[in-house]
Amino acid sequence: MINIAVIGFGYWGPNLARNFNSNPKLTLKTICDFASDRRQLAQQLYPGAKVVADLDLVFNDSSIDAIAIATPVSTHFDLAYRALASGRHVWIEKPLTETSEQAQELIELAEKKNRIIMVDHTFIYTGSVTKIKEIIDSGKIGNIIYYDSTRVNLGLFQNDVDVIWDLAPHDISIMDYLMPFKKVAISATGASFHDGGQISKAVLTIFMENNTIGHINVSWISPVKIRQTLIGGTAKMILYDDNQPSEKIRIYDKGVDIVERKEDLYKINVQYRVGDMWAPKIDNVEALAVATEQFANCITTNSKPITDGAAGLEVVQILEASKKSLKKNGEPINL
């Protein structure tokens, strides 16, 4: 049995605690939060767990094997470093750290201590993304040419990060998992519409090898909630709409063939392909439950999770480049 502690019982911590508590391979040993009302709620929900306000009571408990960190990104490095240095496995919220240097340091420490880092890029473990990965790897959609996502809603405004750091890690991690291509350059444009506030609407462009491109549109100031992704292939195209209660994935047998006519080099013949659409069956298991099971298995077998430290580092590098590009009004930043 793996004893696990959760640090942070605010927005996401309760979801982690619920899944850890439900997994037969884990024991929810301790919950730590500075806020008294959150501790009171944690104790009501999990009377068998130790609920504390002092971090030392977590790190000094030798019976704890793993620590989950669900706190603001500015605290990630210090908490994760302390956990790894003390010999604990680490589950950590996205993004992994504030800088790529911090992420690299955690990866090296985890390797030195022979411990697991798992970054909670939750969407990777959904039935939808798993199915899309299966379809792409089968070659059914041909060569991938673009990734185009929209993740917008009204709020929640963050004090410590802009909208790219808040929302884009979801789509960056999904894109990186589905399309593990080398990233060449990053461009980001955005604006804040409140005095002294964080960037609240932005568009991120990711240039990849093989002339593949990714666009990620994120916003805290949309009147509607949209969670939609288009993945274009040379043979077929995929629409992934996470807001749909059913048929979250639709595959369209549509595309464009451009043929240069030998008899006239200055004319291009555009041929449109319009075929069937179908929606594959998707597993409805909760993504966090799948991720929790993988975390427990990785600890037991000493193997790496899909969303390990290296995957977390890739996301942080893109986020860092976006911050630099924003300051330069969208100028591409080479990676």
Side-chain angles (χ1 to χ4, degrees):
M1 190 67 71
I2 301 166
N3 291 328
I4 190 166
V6 175
I7 299 177
F9 201 73
Y11 173 69
W12 197 244
N15 295 320
L16 298 181
R18 174 172 52 80
N19 278 276
F20 296 158
N21 189 63
S22 299
N23 190 290
K25 299 175 183 176
L26 299 173
T27 297
L28 181 59
K29 188 71 183 291
T30 307
I31 298 172
C32 180
D33 198 284
F34 295 152
S36 59
D37 60 329
R38 303 308 297 175
R39 292 198 304 274
Q40 183 178 2
L41 176 61
Q43 196 68 81
Q44 291 174 353
L45 294 173
Y46 306 103
K50 185 178 181 180
V51 179
V52 301
D54 188 349
L55 286 171
D56 288 339
L57 295 177
V58 176
F59 290 108
N60 293 338
D61 186 346
S62 60
S63 69
I64 293 175
D65 305 300
I67 295 175
I69 300 167
T71 57
V73 64
S74 59
T75 67
H76 283 187
F77 176 74
D78 290 339
L79 291 174
Y81 190 95
R82 188 175 177 184
L84 291 168
S86 62
R88 276 56 177 260
H89 303 282
V90 169
W91 171 302
I92 191 165
E93 284 312 296
K94 59 83 184 170
L96 173 56
T97 52
E98 289 185 295
T99 69
S100 56
E101 288 80 7
Q102 290 176 337
Q104 189 61 54
E105 190 170 347
L106 292 181
I107 292 169
E108 292 172 358
L109 180 58
E111 291 176 352
K112 180 181 178 181
K113 293 289 186 176
N114 194 28
R115 289 296 177 263
I116 304 297
I117 294 178
M118 181 161 175
V119 186
D120 188 6
H121 294 309
T122 313
F123 283 92
I124 301 301
Y125 300 95
T126 61
S128 298
V129 174
T130 299
K131 178 58 69 173
I132 294 172
K133 178 68 171 175
E134 177 185 317
I135 294 168
I136 290 175
D137 289 349
S138 73
K140 292 179 180 177
I141 71 168
N143 297 324
I144 300 176
I145 53 178
Y146 70 81
Y147 179 99
D148 194 341
S149 71
T150 300
R151 185 174 298 272
V152 301
N153 53 257
L154 193 61
L156 299 164
F157 279 72
Q158 306 294 320
N159 293 322
D160 58 335
V161 293
D162 63 28
V163 70
I164 293 179
W165 280 74
D166 178 40
L167 297 182
H170 295 304
D171 296 289
I172 297 170
S173 62
I174 294 170
M175 183 188 70
D176 197 43
Y177 177 59
L178 298 176
M179 305 159 54
F181 306 142
K182 180 180 179 182
K183 312 302 184 295
V184 178
I186 308 298
S187 172
T189 55
S192 171
F193 304 98
H194 304 84
D195 292 341
Q198 297 280 7
I199 297 292
S200 55
K201 180 172 176 22
V203 176
L204 184 62
T205 301
I206 302 168
F207 302 93
M208 293 170 272
E209 61 184 353
N210 303 324
N211 200 35
T212 306
I213 196 166
H215 287 114
I216 298 174
N217 175 25
V218 289
S219 175
W220 286 328
I221 51 173
S222 167
V224 294
K225 179 179 179 179
I226 301 174
R227 298 286 185 268
Q228 196 171 85
T229 300
L230 290 166
I231 300 171
T234 52
K236 294 178 175 63
M237 299 180 180
I238 297 174
L239 169 62
Y240 166 34
D241 190 339
D242 196 48
N243 282 347
Q244 289 294 328
S246 62
E247 295 189 357
K248 289 181 180 291
I249 300 173
R250 297 183 181 185
I251 296 106
Y252 292 85
D253 186 8
K254 293 184 178 182
V256 176
D257 293 326
I258 299 177
V259 181
E260 293 186 4
R261 299 185 342 187
K262 293 182 180 179
E263 63 273 17
D264 190 345
L265 295 178
Y266 294 99
K267 291 185 178 180
I268 296 178
N269 183 25
V270 179
Q271 297 178 342
Y272 296 94
R273 292 180 285 103
V274 180
D276 295 332
M277 181 281 291
W278 74 96
K281 182 180 179 181
I282 299 170
D283 292 335
N284 289 321
V285 180
E286 184 183 2
L288 266 180
V290 176
T292 298
E293 181 68 13
Q294 182 171 126
F295 185 54
N297 288 339
C298 287
I299 292 174
T300 303
T301 62
N302 193 31
S303 56
K304 289 186 177 182
I306 296 173
T307 55
D308 62 359
L313 171 61
E314 176 95 356
V315 172
V316 173
Q317 288 174 330
I318 293 173
L319 293 175
E320 275 186 320
S322 76
K323 184 180 293 187
K324 294 177 182 177
S325 181
L326 279 170
K327 293 179 179 179
K328 297 183 178 182
N329 296 318
E331 178 182 323
I333 303 299
N334 294 327
L335 295 178

